[in-house]
Amino acid sequence: MGELVLTTFDWVPEVPRGYVRDLRVRWALEEAQAPYRVEGVPFSGRDADHFAHQPFGQVPWLTDGDFSLFESGAILVHLGEQSEALMPRDRAGRRAVLEWTFAALNSVEMASLPWTIFQFSGETGDAPGWKRLDAFLTARLDHLEPVLAGREWLAGGFSIADILMADVLRLVDRFDGLASHPACRAYVARATIRPAFVKAHADQMAFFAAAD
């Protein structure tokens, strides 16, 4: 790896702090014990350079020497390929990590993200759209629950798949959405007591607070 520079917003409001997705990258970098530095870009008034690195105007992106990557999942796969602390080198282990990485993003987060948007907006209760989304997420959690009840981590040892899945579930748990899924909740708890997460979370909170 070249010099690693993680780019995130220079400030965000209080509500999303602790959940901005640069946290996933910080967490992976801390697990890998890889040196990196953090740069900020304006939360408002995103310029052409921002869109050149992240076509949707979001964060994070990671610069590794002479190239950069956007999307937290892609960044974590890239880092996993560089560190056995994040993804095993054997083919079977790598396949297991990759399938659960994509499951976190495509099977669980695709259900959880609209659910959390409704939660943030307060549009829950009897709204038909909310009921459908709540049932959709519940079905995904029902399938995930026995998996997590039977293992400590998704793909053998702790990996990028766990960083992504735990972070996805952590936001659901913020709204008590794991109350009926104790194995999912316990999984989030054991992931988020890891020292790398604790440091990554504290660093993100301090970074945004410094700009208040």
Side-chain angles (χ1 to χ4, degrees):
M1 288 187 285
E3 181 189 22
L4 297 174
V5 182
L6 172 62
T7 302
T8 187
F9 290 126
D10 57 4
W11 175 90
V12 297
E14 287 191 13
V15 170
R17 293 183 189 184
Y19 294 89
V20 182
R21 290 180 183 174
D22 67 272
L23 180 66
R24 299 173 176 182
V25 184
R26 291 176 185 266
W27 187 356
L29 290 165
E30 295 295 339
E31 292 281 358
Q33 299 183 359
Y36 67 100
R37 60 186 174 88
V38 180
E39 292 186 349
V41 291
F43 179 71
S44 302
R46 298 163 204 183
D47 60 17
D49 185 64
H50 188 147
F51 285 98
H53 285 93
Q54 219 294 351
F56 305 102
Q58 299 175 314
V59 295
W61 68 83
L62 181 74
T63 303
D64 182 352
D66 59 357
F67 69 92
S68 67
L69 300 96
F70 69 96
E71 289 294 341
S72 60
I75 296 169
L76 263 62
V77 169
H78 172 69
L79 293 174
E81 290 172 343
Q82 316 301 316
S83 171
E84 289 191 60
L86 300 173
M87 185 162 63
R89 298 282 77 88
D90 66 283
R91 292 178 65 188
R94 185 176 185 276
R95 283 197 301 268
V97 168
L98 289 177
E99 67 183 359
W100 279 109
T101 292
F102 284 97
L105 299 174
N106 292 348
S107 294
V108 181
E109 193 167 42
M110 88 176 270
S112 69
L113 184 57
W115 185 90
T116 56
I117 291 172
F118 267 66
Q119 289 280 8
F120 276 118
S121 67
E123 297 179 15
T124 58
D126 294 327
W130 161 253
K131 289 182 176 180
R132 286 192 293 272
L133 286 172
D134 191 48
F136 183 33
L137 176 60
T138 298
R140 294 297 165 94
L141 295 176
D142 286 347
H143 288 293
L144 185 60
E145 180 74 3
V147 174
L148 293 176
R151 63 186 76 174
E152 182 179 22
W153 306 117
L154 288 168
F158 185 86
S159 71
I160 59 170
D162 297 298
I163 292 174
L164 291 166
M165 187 69 82
D167 197 54
V168 168
L169 294 176
R170 193 170 63 92
L171 185 53
V172 176
D173 201 36
R174 176 175 179 167
F175 296 100
D176 205 29
L178 301 181
S180 298
H181 297 85
C184 291
R185 177 167 276 178
Y187 170 75
V188 172
R190 63 180 172 266
T192 55
I193 62 171
R194 294 178 68 87
F197 172 84
V198 173
K199 184 177 187 304
H201 185 272
D203 287 351
Q204 185 188 88
M205 297 295 285
F207 185 83
F208 293 139
D212 284 340

